[in-house]
C-alpha cells in the first residue's frame, strides 16, 4: 500500500487564506503599525508635527505628574467599574424577565434597545437637559412641592462622574440585555425542565446552571463593554465638556486635547500608550487563561 502524502497544513484551505490576506495586511499595517508608531513617538518631544528627537521617559514623567491625567484615570476607574457591574446586572435581569415569554416582548425589547441607536452626543445632550437644575429633574420635583430637593450631579465636582454614568447606562444597557437574551434563548429547554423536576429554585438555576453555561456570552459582552469604557469621550464632551473644571476629565479627552488643541503630540502619544497598556494588562491574562490554559490543560 503506497503512502499518500498528506498536504501541508500551510496549503489547507488555501483559497480562504488568500481571501483573508487583505484583512491581515490591513491589520498589520494600520493597527499594529500605527500602534508601534505611537509608542515610538511617545519617547520624543514632538509638538505640532512628529519629530524623532528622543527625550526618554520625560513625557511619561510629565504625564503622571499632571493632576488632569490623574483625575482622568480616577474617573475612568469609577466609571468603568460601576458601568461593568450595573450594566451586567441590569442587562441580565431585564433579559431574564423578557425570557419569561411575556406579552408585548417585542415592544419592550425595542424600547430598551432604542437608546443604543442614538449617538453618544445625542445621549449626552439629552441627559444634560434631564439633569439640568433649572428645568430638569430637580425643578420638576420642586414644582411638585419639595422645594428643598437638590439633584444636580453635573454641577457638583464630587459626583459629576456619576451623572455621566447615568447616561452611559441608559444608552448601553439595552445592548447588554439583547446579548444576554440571545444567550438565554440558546439554553436547551431540557435544562429548565430538569431543574423544575429536581425542585431547584429559579434563582439557583440561574446562578449555578444558566450563568456558567453562558460564559462565552459574558466574555463577548465584557470585551464590548470594556472597549466602550476605554474609548468614552463624546459622552463626556456633550454632557459636561470635562467640567466643572477638570472634574469629569477622561483619558480619551486628555489625548484629544493634547494632540489637537495643545499641539503637544508627544504628550498625547504617551497618554495613548498608557491607555493601550491598560487594555493589554486586562486582555493578555484573559487570553492566556482562555486559550493558553486549554492548550496546556
Amino acid at each position: 500500500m503506497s503512502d499518500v502524502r498528506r498536504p501541508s497544513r500551510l496549503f489547507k484551505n488555501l483559497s480562504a487564506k488568500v481571501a483573508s490576506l487583505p484583512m491581515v495586511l490591513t491589520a498589520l499595517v494600520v493597527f499594529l503599525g500605527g500602534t508601534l508608531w505611537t509608542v515610538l513617538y511617545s519617547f520624543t518631544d514632538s509638538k505640532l508635527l512628529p519629530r524623532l528627537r528622543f527625550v526618554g521617559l520625560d513625557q511619561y514623567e510629565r504625564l503622571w505628574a499632571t493632576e488632569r491625567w490623574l483625575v482622568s484615570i480616577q474617573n475612568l476607574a469609577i466609571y468603568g467599574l460601576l458601568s461593568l457591574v450595573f450594566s451586567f446586572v441590569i442587562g441580565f435581569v431585564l433579559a431574564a424577565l423578557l425570557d419569561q415569554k411575556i406579552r408585548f416582548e417585542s415592544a419592550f425589547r425595542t424600547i430598551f434597545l432604542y437608546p443604543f441607536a442614538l449617538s453618544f452626543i445625542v445621549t449626552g445632550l439629552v441627559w444634560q437637559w434631564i439633569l439640568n437644575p433649572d428645568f430638569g429633574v430637580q425643578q420638576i420635583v420642586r414644582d411638585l412641592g419639595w422645594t428643598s430637593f437638590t439633584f444636580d450631579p453635573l454641577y457638583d465636582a464630587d459626583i459629576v462622574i456619576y451623572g455621566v454614568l447615568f447616561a452611559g447606562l441608559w444608552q448601553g444597557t439595552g445592548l447588554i440585555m439583547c446579548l444576554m437574551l440571545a444567550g438565554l434563548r440558546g439554553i436547551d429547554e431540557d435544562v429548565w425542565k430538569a431543574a423544575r423536576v429536581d425542585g431547584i429554585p429559579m434563582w439557583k438555576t440561574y446562578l449555578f446552571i444558566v450563568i456558567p453555561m453562558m460564559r462565552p456570552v459574558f466574555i463577548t459582552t465584557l470585551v464590548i463593554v470594556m472597549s466602550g469604557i476605554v474609548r468614552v469621550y463624546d459622552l463626556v464632551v456633550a454632557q459636561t465638556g470635562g467640567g466643572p473644571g477638570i472634574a469629569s476629565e477622561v483619558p480619551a479627552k486628555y489625548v484629544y486635547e493634547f494632540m489637537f488643541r495643545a499641539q503637544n503630540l508627544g504628550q498625547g502619544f504617551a497618554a495613548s500608550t498608557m491607555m493601550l497598556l491598560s487594555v493589554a494588562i486586562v486582555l493578555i491574562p484573559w487570553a492566556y487563561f482562555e486559550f493558553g490554559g486549554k492548550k496546556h490543560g
Side-chain angles (χ1 to χ4, degrees), residues 244-275:
I246 59 172
S248 58
E249 193 78 14
V250 289
K253 186 174 181 295
Y254 183 95
V255 171
Y256 177 85
E257 293 288 338
F258 272 86
M259 291 184 68
F260 299 104
R261 291 191 176 181
Q263 298 178 355
N264 190 339
L265 290 179
Q267 185 70 184
F269 290 148
S272 299
T273 303
M274 295 309 303
M275 291 176 64

Side-chain angles (χ1 to χ4, degrees), residues 75 78-79 82 131 153-154 156 158-169 239:
N75 286 336
I78 295 173
Y79 178 88
L82 295 180
L131 299 178
L154 300 186
D156 187 339
D158 293 330
I159 60 174
V160 62
I161 193 63
Y162 302 104
V164 177
L165 178 66
F166 290 150
L169 289 175
Q239 205 170 356

Side-chain angles (χ1 to χ4, degrees), residues 4 15 20 22 27 39 78 172-173 182 213 250 275 280:
V4 179
S15 59
S20 65
V39 174
I78 295 173
T173 303
M213 293 178 68
V250 289
M275 291 176 64

Side-chain angles (χ1 to χ4, degrees), residues 111-179:
I111 292 171
F112 290 137
L113 187 59
Y114 175 74
F116 187 73
L118 303 176
S119 69
F120 272 119
I121 295 295
V122 174
T123 299
L125 291 176
V126 168
W127 277 88
Q128 184 189 63
W129 299 334
I130 293 174
L131 299 178
N132 190 296
D134 294 327
F135 47 82
V137 174
Q138 175 177 294
Q139 188 59 42
I140 293 173
V141 174
R142 288 185 177 184
D143 290 341
L144 294 175
W146 289 277
T147 55
S148 62
F149 177 78
T150 301
F151 185 68
D152 55 349
L154 300 186
Y155 298 85
D156 187 339
D158 293 330
I159 60 174
V160 62
I161 193 63
Y162 302 104
V164 177
L165 178 66
F166 290 150
L169 289 175
W170 180 77
Q171 187 189 48
T173 303
L175 175 65
I176 309 302
M177 178 206 69
C178 288
L179 293 173

Side-chain angles (χ1 to χ4, degrees), residues 21-282:
L21 194 59
M23 182 188 66
V24 174
L25 292 176
T26 300
L28 289 176
V29 174
V30 176
F31 295 105
L32 183 58
T35 299
L36 294 176
W37 189 85
T38 299
V39 174
L40 175 65
Y41 278 89
S42 68
F43 296 101
T44 68
D45 64 347
S46 301
K47 296 297 182 182
L48 177 60
L49 295 174
R51 58 184 178 182
L52 278 174
R53 188 158 66 185
F54 292 99
V55 293
L57 297 175
D58 287 358
Q59 296 288 4
Y60 292 93
E61 293 175 359
R62 190 176 299 113
L63 179 70
W64 287 101
T66 304
E67 182 186 4
R68 186 175 181 181
W69 173 254
L70 297 178
V71 170
S72 70
I73 292 296
Q74 179 182 345
N75 286 336
L76 185 66
I78 295 173
Y79 178 88
L81 180 61
L82 295 180
S83 182
L84 277 175
V85 172
F86 284 108
S87 63
F88 269 68
V89 172
I90 297 174
F92 185 82
V93 170
L94 290 176
L97 293 175
L98 289 180
D99 193 42
Q100 305 304 312
K101 308 297 189 299
I102 63 174
R103 294 181 62 186
F104 308 113
E105 177 190 331
S106 298
F108 283 115
R109 190 167 61 239
T110 302
I111 292 171
F112 290 137
L113 187 59
Y114 175 74
F116 187 73
L118 303 176
S119 69
F120 272 119
I121 295 295
V122 174
T123 299
L125 291 176
V126 168
W127 277 88
Q128 184 189 63
W129 299 334
I130 293 174
L131 299 178
N132 190 296
D134 294 327
F135 47 82
V137 174
Q138 175 177 294
Q139 188 59 42
I140 293 173
V141 174
R142 288 185 177 184
D143 290 341
L144 294 175
W146 289 277
T147 55
S148 62
F149 177 78
T150 301
F151 185 68
D152 55 349
L154 300 186
Y155 298 85
D156 187 339
D158 293 330
I159 60 174
V160 62
I161 193 63
Y162 302 104
V164 177
L165 178 66
F166 290 150
L169 289 175
W170 180 77
Q171 187 189 48
T173 303
L175 175 65
I176 309 302
M177 178 206 69
C178 288
L179 293 173
M180 297 293 182
L181 184 59
L184 288 172
R185 293 285 164 85
I187 302 295
D188 195 333
E189 188 65 27
D190 292 337
V191 173
W192 301 102
K193 293 179 181 178
R196 285 193 293 267
V197 169
D198 292 339
I200 302 176
M202 182 68 72
W203 68 272
K204 284 189 175 182
T205 304
Y206 276 109
L207 190 61
F208 297 108
I209 300 175
V210 173
I211 290 180
M213 293 178 68
M214 291 177 58
R215 183 169 176 266
V217 177
F218 277 96
I219 291 175
T220 301
T221 306
L222 179 65
V223 173
I224 293 174
V225 173
M226 288 189 62
S227 65
I229 290 172
V230 174
R231 294 183 291 105
V232 64
Y233 166 77
D234 34 9
L235 183 64
V236 173
V237 171
Q239 205 170 356
T240 66
I246 59 172
S248 58
E249 193 78 14
V250 289
K253 186 174 181 295
Y254 183 95
V255 171
Y256 177 85
E257 293 288 338
F258 272 86
M259 291 184 68
F260 299 104
R261 291 191 176 181
Q263 298 178 355
N264 190 339
L265 290 179
Q267 185 70 184
F269 290 148
S272 299
T273 303
M274 295 309 303
M275 291 176 64
L276 174 65
L277 182 61
S278 65
V279 173
I281 289 175
V282 175

